[in-house]
């Protein structure tokens, strides 16, 4: 495969992996399924393309190593290490060699993501140093090369079922089983490195504002007056684990309607006391709860005590802990 085409394929594979990974995080589960498959296919295509890249790297090193002041070599080396690191961790995760609780308590899936994010600016600088974008489009549109690129994409998709045959048991998102139906006994993950807040349940309240008739704050006792609904739902954390639990609390839409929800409202922006937040369409909140209990137990602080958002079908970082306010628009 020509050098420029190989480099463009690698760039495209990295872009596909980044976009599919991001969309797999933020979209509802029913809409994200195809992106999980695309992510696996992109990883396999990238692995194949690396075989073409090896002789190109060897030739480049022979030419550039004698130039001891060639600063672009450092960027190239860091890009290579990051690329091998993120794809290596991705396949190690899939094959069960690492997990969210081994070999350390910190999930290596997070490390896989962090390295992948760091890889993007490194590759941009690498391409700028090599002026790789010049002539790439014409090279890839050449008939023979276009066929090769298309065959690579087909090969990546075709190998996904083969990979799944040898993969460690996991959900389509890649998450692996943690304890289920265990009350508070499941992993604690705090999004965005938030510190664990200290909240007095006697003084805590949630504010309702925006497109509601009566902006107000509701205490824990106020929420307890709403019908208490139990919902069995799976918390699928982006740290790479999932846990199915029975959650109990007040229905989000019932709470908003009690505040005089404007029928023209479309979204609810839920904010934690830590500042972490997420916006959900009201149409997606039909089964959502402001949960106070998991199993028969009150939520522990690490799981969002006194109240966390539970949104079945959404990834865990959107289940806002320590809810402080809901802004409707």
């Amino acid at each position: 495969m020509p050098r420029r085409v190989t480099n463009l394929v690698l760039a495209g594979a990295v872009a596909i992996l980044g976009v599919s990974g991001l969309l797999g995080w933020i979209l509802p589960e029913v809409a994200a399924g195809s992106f999980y498959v695309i992510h696996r296919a992109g990883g396999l295509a990238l692995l194949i393309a690396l075989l073409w890249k090896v002789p190109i790297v060897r030739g480049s090193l022979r030419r550039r190593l004698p130039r001891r002041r060639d600063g672009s070599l450092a960027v190239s080396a860091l890009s290579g290490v990051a690329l091998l690191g993120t794809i290596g961790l991705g396949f190690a995760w899939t094959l069960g060699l690492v997990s969210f609780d081994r070999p350390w308590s910190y999930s290596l899936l997070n490390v896989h993501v962090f390295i992948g994010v760091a890889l993007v600016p490194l590759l941009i600088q690498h391409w700028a140093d090599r002026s790789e974008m010049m002539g790439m489009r014409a090279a890839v549109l050449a008939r023979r090369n276009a066929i090769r690129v298309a065959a690579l994409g087909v090969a990546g998709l075709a190998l996904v079922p083969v990979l799944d045959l040898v993969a460690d048991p996991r959900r389509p998102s890649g998450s692996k089983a943690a304890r289920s139906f265990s009350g508070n006994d499941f992993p604690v993950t705090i999004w965005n490195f938030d510190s664990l807040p200290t909240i007095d349940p006697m003084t805590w309240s949630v504010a309702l504002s925006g497109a509601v008739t009566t902006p107000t704050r509701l205490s824990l006792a106020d929420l307890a007056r709403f019908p208490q609904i139990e919902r069995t739902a799976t918390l699928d954390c982006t740290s790479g684990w999932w846990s199915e639990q029975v959650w109990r609390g007040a229905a989000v839409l019932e709470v908003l309607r009690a505040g005089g929800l404007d029928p023209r409202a479309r979204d609810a922006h839920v904010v934690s006391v830590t500042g972490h937040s997420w916006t959900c369409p009201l149409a997606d909140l039909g089964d959502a709860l402001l949960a106070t209990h998991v199993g028969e137990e009150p939520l522990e602080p690490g799981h969002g005590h006194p109240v966390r958002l539970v949104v079945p079908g959404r990834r865990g970082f959107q289940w806002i802990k320590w809810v402080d306010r809901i802004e409707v628009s």
Side-chain angles (χ1 to χ4, degrees), residues 81-124:
V81 169
L83 181 61
L84 292 175
T86 192
I87 194 171
L89 283 174
F91 280 102
W93 180 272
T94 299
L95 297 175
L97 302 178
V98 298
S99 190
F100 63 89
D101 56 357
R102 67 175 193 275
W104 305 289
S105 58
Y106 189 76
S107 176
L108 286 180
L109 187 62
N110 287 338
V111 179
H112 164 76
V113 173
F114 296 152
I115 297 176
V117 171
L119 178 61
V120 174
L122 286 171
L123 285 182
I124 291 173

Side-chain angles (χ1 to χ4, degrees), residues 3 6-7 28 49 58 66 118 121 131 134 145 148-149 179 182 191 199 216 225 248 260 290 301 303 317:
R3 175 179 61 83
T6 298
N7 290 341
R58 287 175 178 169
S131 301
M134 298 177 59
N145 293 334
R148 288 171 172 167
V149 172
R179 297 194 66 179
S182 56
W191 178 251
I199 300 174
T216 187
R225 295 188 185 102
R248 186 166 89 239
L290 289 173
H303 292 309
F317 74 95

Side-chain angles (χ1 to χ4, degrees), residues 26-44:
I26 65 176
L27 290 177
E29 197 170 73
V30 293
S34 59
F35 294 104
Y36 298 146
V37 176
I38 291 171
H39 195 74
R40 293 184 178 90
L44 289 163

